[in-house]
Amino acid sequence: MEFRQELETGLLKPIGNTESTLKIKEVASKCRLLRTENGLKVDLTYTGPNASKYLQYVEKHREELTNYLLHPDDADLYEWMETSHQTPITLKKHEKEKLILYVNFDPDTMRLMTGIADENITMKLGTPLMDINLKEMTRNQFKLAIYDMLLLADEISIAMNNVELKKMANIEMVKTYLAEIYDRFHEGPLE
């Protein structure tokens, strides 16, 4: 956020867009699906501050919100698509690419990040699948994070119709490799 100092008062006033961008999860939590004679309708139940912004979001993203509310287990996929600025159409463009799951681990900071990359280990599609700090996780939390990440990768591969990525999302080696990193570098008690 940028600020401008007013000459008369010396106060700093924010300039530019001061509203935070709405996320699909936040908007969906204030909506419900209603069954009408024409099908399903997204109904915004929120009347608080910035209600007009929520309404604009609903109007612009009605189809995504409907799918999100119909399939709450796909929430991670919709959130990932939103943060990586992908749509079902842009994902389909990667159908024939040879894509892999990319793992980057820094033993100094204990940060582990996974994403989708091409054969040259060039990160694709912008947003990581998983970005965690091993120091802050128990073994069970870590196993759940791997599971969620592989589910997300699988959902992305299905949306892309990418056979290579689908193979990687189901591979046992990924889970084994990540578990070895946890065992080798985590100093806390293992659960």
Side-chain angles (χ1 to χ4, degrees):
M1 188 183 296
E2 294 180 42
F3 294 89
R4 174 184 78 221
Q5 190 169 19
E6 290 188 336
L7 286 175
E8 310 84 50
T9 61
L11 295 173
L12 292 175
K13 291 272 190 182
I15 58 173
N17 185 7
T18 58
E19 297 296 325
S20 61
T21 308
L22 294 175
K23 300 281 184 213
I24 193 166
K25 185 179 192 176
E26 183 183 349
V27 177
S29 70
K30 295 170 177 35
C31 294
R32 62 183 175 178
L33 283 178
L34 295 178
R35 192 170 300 280
T36 66
E37 62 263 5
N38 298 331
L40 292 172
K41 177 187 172 205
V42 176
D43 180 43
L44 179 67
T45 57
Y46 179 69
T47 57
N50 295 324
S52 63
K53 288 244 182 251
Y54 283 86
L55 192 57
Q56 287 172 355
Y57 188 97
V58 169
E59 292 301 319
K60 196 173 178 184
H61 302 281
R62 189 170 300 282
E63 189 176 331
E64 292 98 327
L65 277 165
T66 303
N67 288 332
Y68 187 97
L69 292 165
L70 277 173
H71 308 286
D73 291 340
D74 294 344
D76 289 343
L77 175 63
Y78 287 105
E79 288 173 27
W80 179 86
M81 286 174 64
E82 194 170 61
T83 55
S84 60
H85 306 291
Q86 297 296 321
T87 65
I89 294 162
T90 60
L91 282 177
K92 286 278 187 209
K93 293 178 183 175
H94 300 281
E95 179 179 358
K96 301 291 185 215
E97 290 183 52
K98 187 166 175 61
L99 298 174
I100 60 169
L101 289 182
Y102 165 76
V103 178
N104 181 13
F105 178 66
D106 182 347
D108 296 328
T109 62
M110 298 293 281
R111 281 211 93 63
L112 187 139
M113 186 184 74
T114 63
I116 297 171
D118 62 16
E119 294 171 296
N120 301 319
I121 317 297
T122 303
M123 189 73 108
K124 294 287 223 180
L125 309 171
T127 304
L129 299 173
M130 177 172 77
D131 189 1
I132 57 173
N133 187 330
L134 278 190
K135 280 191 275 192
E136 300 167 355
M137 301 186 96
T138 65
R139 184 171 189 78
N140 281 339
Q141 289 170 327
F142 181 66
K143 283 178 6 188
L144 183 60
I146 292 172
Y147 178 74
D148 286 345
M149 182 270 297
L150 290 172
L151 272 178
L152 176 58
D154 188 58
E155 289 171 350
I156 293 167
S157 72
I158 291 167
M160 281 180 182
N161 199 21
N162 187 302
V163 177
E164 292 295 322
L165 185 60
K166 181 132 180 79
K167 285 182 205 168
M168 282 296 290
N170 289 322
I171 203 158
E172 194 66 33
M173 186 179 75
V174 174
K175 291 185 270 187
T176 306
Y177 175 67
L178 293 175
E180 282 176 10
I181 290 174
Y182 185 92
D183 292 341
R184 184 167 172 204
F185 292 100
H186 197 281
E187 296 169 349
L190 297 180
E191 293 182 7

